[in-house]
Coordinates of all heavy atoms in Angstrom, one line a residue:
S58 N 20.6 1.7 37.1 CA 19.5 2.4 37.7 C 19.3 3.8 37.1 O 18.1 4.2 36.9 CB 19.7 2.6 39.2 OG 21.0 3.3 39.4
D59 N 20.3 4.5 36.7 CA 20.2 5.8 36.1 C 19.5 5.6 34.7 O 18.6 6.4 34.4 CB 21.6 6.4 35.9 CG 21.5 7.8 35.3 OD1 20.8 8.7 35.8 OD2 22.0 8.0 34.2
L60 N 19.9 4.6 33.9 CA 19.3 4.4 32.6 C 17.8 3.9 32.8 O 16.9 4.3 32.0 CB 20.1 3.4 31.8 CG 19.7 3.2 30.3 CD1 19.7 4.5 29.6 CD2 20.7 2.3 29.7
Q61 N 17.6 3.1 33.8 CA 16.2 2.6 34.0 C 15.3 3.8 34.3 O 14.2 3.9 33.8 CB 16.2 1.7 35.2 CG 16.7 0.3 35.0 CD 16.7 -0.6 36.2 OE1 16.9 -0.1 37.3 NE2 16.5 -1.9 36.0
A62 N 15.8 4.7 35.2 CA 15.0 5.9 35.5 C 14.7 6.8 34.3 O 13.6 7.3 34.2 CB 15.7 6.7 36.6
K63 N 15.7 7.0 33.5 CA 15.5 7.8 32.3 C 14.4 7.2 31.3 O 13.6 7.9 30.8 CB 16.8 8.0 31.5 CG 17.8 8.9 32.2 CD 19.1 9.0 31.4 CE 20.1 9.9 32.1 NZ 21.4 10.1 31.4
I64 N 14.5 5.9 31.1 CA 13.6 5.2 30.3 C 12.2 5.2 30.9 O 11.2 5.5 30.2 CB 14.0 3.8 30.0 CG1 15.4 3.8 29.2 CG2 13.0 3.0 29.2 CD1 16.0 2.4 29.0
F65 N 12.1 4.9 32.2 CA 10.8 4.9 32.9 C 10.2 6.3 32.8 O 9.0 6.4 32.4 CB 11.0 4.6 34.3 CG 9.8 4.7 35.2 CD1 8.8 3.7 35.2 CD2 9.6 5.8 36.0 CE1 7.7 3.8 36.0 CE2 8.4 6.0 36.7 CZ 7.5 5.0 36.7
N66 N 10.9 7.4 33.1 CA 10.3 8.7 33.0 C 10.0 9.1 31.6 O 9.0 9.9 31.4 CB 11.4 9.7 33.5 CG 11.5 9.7 35.1 OD1 10.5 9.3 35.8 ND2 12.7 9.9 35.6
A67 N 10.7 8.6 30.6 CA 10.4 8.9 29.2 C 9.0 8.3 28.9 O 8.2 9.0 28.2 CB 11.5 8.4 28.3
F68 N 8.8 7.1 29.2 CA 7.5 6.4 29.0 C 6.4 7.2 29.7 O 5.3 7.4 29.1 CB 7.5 5.0 29.5 CG 8.0 4.0 28.5 CD1 9.4 3.8 28.3 CD2 7.1 3.2 27.8 CE1 9.8 2.8 27.4 CE2 7.6 2.3 26.9 CZ 8.9 2.1 26.7
R69 N 6.7 7.6 30.9 CA 5.6 8.3 31.7 C 5.3 9.7 31.1 O 4.1 10.0 30.9 CB 6.1 8.5 33.1 CG 5.1 9.1 34.1 CD 5.6 9.2 35.5 NE 6.9 9.9 35.5 CZ 7.0 11.2 35.6 NH1 6.0 12.0 35.5 NH2 8.3 11.7 35.6
V70 N 6.3 10.4 30.7 CA 6.1 11.8 30.1 C 5.4 11.7 28.7 O 4.6 12.5 28.4 CB 7.4 12.5 30.0 CG1 7.3 13.8 29.1 CG2 8.0 12.8 31.3
L71 N 5.7 10.6 28.0 CA 5.0 10.5 26.7 C 3.6 9.9 26.7 O 3.0 9.6 25.7 CB 5.9 9.5 25.8 CG 7.3 10.1 25.4 CD1 8.1 9.1 24.7 CD2 7.0 11.3 24.4
G72 N 3.1 9.7 27.9 CA 1.7 9.4 28.1 C 1.3 7.9 28.2 O 0.2 7.6 28.2
Y73 N 2.3 7.1 28.4 CA 2.0 5.7 28.7 C 1.4 5.5 30.1 O 1.8 6.3 31.0 CB 3.3 4.8 28.5 CG 3.8 4.8 27.1 CD1 4.6 5.8 26.5 CD2 3.5 3.7 26.3 CE1 5.0 5.7 25.2 CE2 3.9 3.6 25.0 CZ 4.7 4.6 24.5 OH 5.2 4.5 23.2
R74 N 0.6 4.5 30.2 CA -0.2 4.3 31.5 C 0.8 4.0 32.6 O 1.6 3.0 32.5 CB -1.2 3.2 31.3 CG -2.4 3.7 30.5 CD -3.4 2.5 30.4 NE -3.7 1.9 31.6 CZ -4.6 0.9 31.7 NH1 -5.2 0.4 30.6 NH2 -4.8 0.3 32.9

Side-chain angles (χ1 to χ4, degrees):
S58 58
D59 181 59
L60 187 54
Q61 284 179 328
K63 289 180 180 178
I64 295 173
F65 173 81
N66 287 327
F68 271 82
R69 183 176 55 82
V70 170
L71 290 173
Y73 290 83
R74 284 179 51 180

